[in-house]
Amino acid sequence: MMRTTVTSLTQKMVVAWRKEFKRCMSSIVTRATGKDKQSSQILVSPPLVSLDFPEIWGSSSDHDNPPSGHEICGPRTAAIIDGKSIAEEIRLGIASEVRRMKEYTGRVPGLAVILVGQRRDSETYVRNKMKACEETGINSSLVELPDDCKEDEVINALSHFNEDPSVNGVLVQLPLPEHLDEEKILNVVSLEKDVDGFHPESMGNLAMRGREPLFISCTPKGCIELLIRSGVTITGKKAVVIGRSNIVGLPTSLLLQRHHATVSIVHALTKNPEQLTSEADIVVTAAGVPNLVRGYWLKPGAVVVDVGTCPVEDPTAELGYRLVGDVCFEEAVRVASAVTPVPGGVGPMTIAMLLSNTLDSAKRAYEFT
Amino acid sequence: MMRTTVTSLTQKMVVAWRKEFKRCMSSIVTRATGKDKQSSQILVSPPLVSLDFPEIWGSSSDHDNPPSGHEICGPRTAAIIDGKSIAEEIRLGIASEVRRMKEYTGRVPGLAVILVGQRRDSETYVRNKMKACEETGINSSLVELPDDCKEDEVINALSHFNEDPSVNGVLVQLPLPEHLDEEKILNVVSLEKDVDGFHPESMGNLAMRGREPLFISCTPKGCIELLIRSGVTITGKKAVVIGRSNIVGLPTSLLLQRHHATVSIVHALTKNPEQLTSEADIVVTAAGVPNLVRGYWLKPGAVVVDVGTCPVEDPTAELGYRLVGDVCFEEAVRVASAVTPVPGGVGPMTIAMLLSNTLDSAKRAYEFT
């Protein structure tokens, strides 16, 4: 029953995406060939922002029906990477360090969160972050602003936290309402308190060899930590990152490369994404498309980290929905050597890394080692 | 004769690299597993900078002897992408725009270059940049500092140019002598004048969707311009970038991705780099290893952009050496559909893009369109 719901939902999404995909493709071709540009221009390469548009997943491959001969029916052999218990272990370590810090310096780390609007998912994420702070002894402050607030109000709240010496980490819960300029707002976050690692200078320092950002974005850092703790060698391995968001896909690909994987980035305009994916030793997927990655997309023995969390209807669940990852879990566990579940895989690690970044920031600020 | 010299040189380099490669690999494994770290640490992931070391190309594949059955002997079918003439066309356009700017505003763009030490190659590059400025009517200033100068002297020179309103572009010729902190120095370049695009915030803005750096690094921008002007579609194509330097490989991979290619990054620790490369529709190589990319590395019909320029002994050449690319040109022209030559391919484009960035900067500063 649940299975049918998921499949039919995915099918509807795929049909909608295909239409959007065709529209986008024709628009890109026009932009890339510069047909909409003045002929007096010296260079023909288009401005980069004109190339941006939402990722619309809808390639020629069929997400629903594997090619014949690719049905997956063997035994479940993959190890399940238990993000919940690994995150718990890390949080215990953080709580212990916070106690030690308090004992020696009289101070504890502080995290400040700015939440704009009343998105239910954002409210849940923020609540979980505040709760995790409380449990580890980290101070937390929350500023909630109305959905129709002005840019200046967000920037003022940010600036206040940038100045406050008791605050070591500042984050703006994304996504912001459309009328607000995310770029302008994120640029205001002090580099020394950018515990989300979303400032472009943090991203540049993550990308560039010989440099190191003060903070690495929480989800990518959590993925790498899961891999290392699961005994997965990254150096020299082929890795595929599915999705190229600023929040997950991009920093994950940069981080895997820093760890010397050979990284390929699969996105909504990749033709035959399953072909490249099926050559990878490590697959990290953050497309936000339920069940996109089928068993036949995977190389036998691959390690699969599923960052996708998409709510799908489920009348049997307490809230009427449940979270589904990008990976068809039932198939993946029959092909891969290790898989993260959804929920209970990457999710808990993201918050643990946020706490860890906040602790690191406080240690730097208070010169406590 | 020349051929023999190149091959024997390459063989020597490969042997040396293999030794270094083994040493590096064992060092990475230690670092990645955290064996050299304190057990009290909360996270096991190592600091990123500890993962950095020079790229030592020496994979298991043999750069010199293609596997049997892979000898390339067909006719030369590839189009040769004439970077020299495309760059010349762009420079004429820039010269014309500079004249128009002078006529309307009474001002011309200004580029300032800081050269530390007396590396012969750096001196040649800088001389070529100054000459190109002169030919297009752009003002240029050069500060030459001795090899043993102090960091403060470089930073003072930079700060002076950052302040000078007649200077629209500032660049520090790389590499710097080892005693100078490249990161610290490049961070001083004003974002508004960072015509090389090497500031981490410029790199972050290039990487992040929805953003756009004020300047894109010159060589990657030149590569894309060559592709577009040669009628190559980038969107949806598989691209492989060989090399991951901050100056070429990294920004080129980010830029190709912005143009919606599916990008894989091959580096010195990639196993079987020829396998991934041979699946690519577009190959951009910037490894600095002469003749690394053999014909059998290429997919028939691929487009190949060769950024490599390595001086190799050649007694018949005027200067006793000649420049050789990463690509075995004689083989590539029999497999690819289009190839850039070395010299005369990407090289002239790099300077043209520097002029273009300087002009753009002046247009922004003087609000001239």
Side-chain angles (χ1 to χ4, degrees), chain A residues 42 44-45 49 51-53 209-210 212 225 229 238 244 246 260-265 267 270 275 279, chain B residues 42 44-45 49 51-53 209-210 212 225 229 238 244 246 260-265 267 270 275:
Chain A
I42 295 170
V44 294
S45 49
V49 166
L51 293 165
D52 274 334
F53 51 80
R209 288 165 65 80
E212 186 160 333
E225 195 66 22
R229 284 181 185 248
K238 269 193 184 177
R244 50 175 173 168
N246 289 343
H260 308 294
T262 298
V263 180
S264 303
I265 300 107
H267 51 76
T270 298
Q275 185 261 323
E279 295 173 11
Chain B
I42 295 170
V44 293
S45 49
V49 166
L51 294 165
D52 275 333
F53 51 81
R209 289 165 64 79
E212 186 161 332
E225 194 67 22
R229 284 181 186 249
K238 268 193 186 176
R244 50 176 172 166
N246 290 343
H260 307 293
T262 298
V263 179
S264 303
I265 300 107
H267 50 77
T270 299
Q275 185 260 322

Side-chain angles (χ1 to χ4, degrees), chain A residues 51-84:
Chain A
L51 293 165
D52 274 334
F53 51 80
E55 286 285 274
I56 310 294
W57 288 84
S59 75
S60 58
S61 69
D62 191 330
H63 301 159
D64 291 43
N65 306 313
S68 68
H70 282 82
E71 293 76 13
I72 310 288
C73 50
R76 293 174 65 135
T77 49
I80 308 301
I81 298 176
D82 185 352
K84 205 170 162 186

Side-chain angles (χ1 to χ4, degrees), chain B residues 140 190 203 211 276 320 325 331 353 358:
Chain B
S140 63
S190 152
M203 204 65 82
R211 291 172 176 257
L276 203 49
E331 293 181 357
M353 294 303 112
T358 307

